[in-house]
């Protein structure tokens, strides 16, 4: 009997440790890009630790944008970010300091998100932007086929640029290659343009972190982002820390017509909290009760 009770107590202790560990998973590291009201990159693929800022029990796009403003906007989220409830649900009222009546967009892993309450997971790539054209809303979301990676300076890298050319009958974005776009490296013209398939071969002259983007004359696009960790250049500059980039960056929307399969279904295993404190308290009380029982049984059998 003593052995049985000891086993039960051990199991309860192990379970309580598991619950505490699960409850600790209340954040997610999400890569965030934000384009401002002037079409400039205010945040370019920065890692943001997302917590449940709005206390709704889930880690969402709203939380990610809030935390990004807390980290990078002067004055924090209170100064640069705001939301409100509308007939369409939770909606943006201000993004990166721009309160323009609701003209914003946001994508997760290259796919159009449905709501600010969509879940986000560790490793996701969130892109939010302010429309620059508030009359015809002609801004087109654009993206490279990847958003981050290690690059050997001597080999360079090839990127494919696509943009939302139109929407299908289900209002899903249709991505097409963008030809003739000028490739920028850290905001400066590289002399490289995309071909008819939206492809461009890009090389780098120095080691370290480099932000690759693009602009186009024929189309108003949101600035795409590829964050390169460059090494192997002849100069002896410090290479970017490869541990800062995920080993396998999520692939974004591919060239061609997007389908519902391209829209990511975010099932966030960390989103719903377990209610750590009440559960742990319950287990502590249960363990205390078991301990009391053991003491009673020990006295009984020692007589």
């Amino acid at each position: 009997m003593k052995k049985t009770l000891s086993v039960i107590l051990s199991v309860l202790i192990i379970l309580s440790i598991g619950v505490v560990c699960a409850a600790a998973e209340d954040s997610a590291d999400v890569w965030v890009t934000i384009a401002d009201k002037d079409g400039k990159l205010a945040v370019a693929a920065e890692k943001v630790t997302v917590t449940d800022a709005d206390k709704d029990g889930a880690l969402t796009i709203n939380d990610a944008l809030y935390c990004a403003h807390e980290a990078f906007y002067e004055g924090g989220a209170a100064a640069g970010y705001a939301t409100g409830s509308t007939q369409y649900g939770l909606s943006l009222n201000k993004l990166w300091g721009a309160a323009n009546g609701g003209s914003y967009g946001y994508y997760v892993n290259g796919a159009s998100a449905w709501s600010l309450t969509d879940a986000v997971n560790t490793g996701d790539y969130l892109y939010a932007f302010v429309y620059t054209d508030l009359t015809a809303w002609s801004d087109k979301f654009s993206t490279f086929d990847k958003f981050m990676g290690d690059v050997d300076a001597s080999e360079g890298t090839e990127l494919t640029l696509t943009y939302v050319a139109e929407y299908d009958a289900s209002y899903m974005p249709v991505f097409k290659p963008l030809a003739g776009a000028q490739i920028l490296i850290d905001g400066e013209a590289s002399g490289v343009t995309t071909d008819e398939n939206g492809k461009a071969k890009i090389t780098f002259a120095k080691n370290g972190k480099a932000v690759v983007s693009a602009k186009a004359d024929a189309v108003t696009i949101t600035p795409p982002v590829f964050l390169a960790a460059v090494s192997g250049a002849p100069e002896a500059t410090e290479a970017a820390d490869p541990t800062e980039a995920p080993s396998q960056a999520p692939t974004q929307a591919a060239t061609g017509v997007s389908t519902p399969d391209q829209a990511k279904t975010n099932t966030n295993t960390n989103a719903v909290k377990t209610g750590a404190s009440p559960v742990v308290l319950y287990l502590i009380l249960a363990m205390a009760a078991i301990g009391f029982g053991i003491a009673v049984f020990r006295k009984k059998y020692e007589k």
Side-chain angles (χ1 to χ4, degrees):
M1 179 63 71
K2 291 180 181 179
K3 184 179 292 186
T4 300
L5 290 173
S6 296
V7 170
I8 292 173
L9 182 58
S10 298
V11 170
L12 282 171
I13 292 173
I14 292 171
L15 288 175
S16 67
I17 293 173
V19 170
V20 171
C21 291
E25 296 177 354
D26 57 357
S27 65
D29 288 335
V30 176
W31 301 89
V32 178
T33 290
I34 299 175
D36 66 17
K37 62 182 180 62
D38 298 316
K40 306 297 183 182
L41 288 171
V43 178
E46 293 283 358
K47 183 166 68 173
V48 175
T49 298
V50 179
T51 57
D52 186 13
D54 56 13
K55 308 299 182 185
D56 67 348
L59 300 180
T60 64
I61 292 173
N62 179 47
D63 294 321
L65 292 176
Y66 181 94
C67 292
H69 282 74
E70 285 286 274
F72 301 110
Y73 191 82
E74 185 176 356
Y81 182 73
T83 61
S85 296
T86 69
Q87 59 180 327
Y88 304 107
L90 187 66
S91 300
L92 277 173
N93 289 338
K94 183 190 293 185
L95 179 67
W96 209 254
N100 63 11
S103 297
Y104 314 99
Y106 38 90
Y107 284 67
V108 177
N109 299 329
S112 180
W114 289 104
S115 167
L116 285 176
T117 57
D118 286 2
V120 292
N121 299 289
T122 290
D124 280 348
Y125 177 47
L126 169 62
Y127 191 118
F129 64 94
V130 181
Y131 274 85
T132 60
D133 180 359
L134 301 181
T135 302
W137 298 281
S138 60
D139 302 58
K140 306 292 186 182
F141 174 73
S142 74
T143 179
F144 291 121
D145 55 332
K146 49 192 174 184
F147 82 91
M148 180 179 292
D150 296 326
V151 178
D152 187 311
S154 61
E155 297 179 0
T157 188
E158 184 177 81
L159 299 175
T160 300
L161 178 60
T162 59
Y163 75 109
V164 178
E166 55 188 286
Y167 292 86
D168 63 18
S170 300
Y171 207 70
M172 294 294 294
V174 178
F175 286 85
K176 292 184 178 181
L178 182 57
Q182 303 173 53
I183 297 298
L184 309 176
I185 299 178
D186 293 332
E188 300 295 329
S190 67
V192 178
T193 57
T194 56
D195 64 16
E196 66 275 11
N197 297 312
K199 296 183 180 298
K201 181 63 179 291
I202 304 158
T203 57
F204 301 87
K206 60 182 181 180
N207 295 325
K209 173 183 172 181
V211 176
V212 180
S213 189
K215 65 178 182 178
D217 295 330
V219 183
T220 301
I221 59 172
T222 62
V225 170
F226 173 72
L227 184 62
V230 184
S231 61
E235 64 178 22
T237 56
E238 183 179 355
D241 184 355
T243 61
E244 288 299 314
S247 57
Q248 293 183 343
T251 301
Q252 297 188 10
T255 302
V257 177
S258 66
T259 67
D261 291 337
Q262 286 179 305
K264 177 176 179 180
T265 301
N266 288 308
T267 305
N268 186 357
T269 57
N270 296 332
V272 181
K273 306 297 187 300
T274 57
S277 298
V279 173
V280 173
L281 180 60
Y282 173 80
L283 286 175
I284 291 173
L285 292 174
M287 289 166 60
I290 292 295
F292 178 76
I294 290 174
V296 172
F297 274 102
R298 285 184 63 184
K299 288 184 177 180
K300 178 178 179 180
Y301 281 96
E302 284 173 355
K303 290 181 179 180

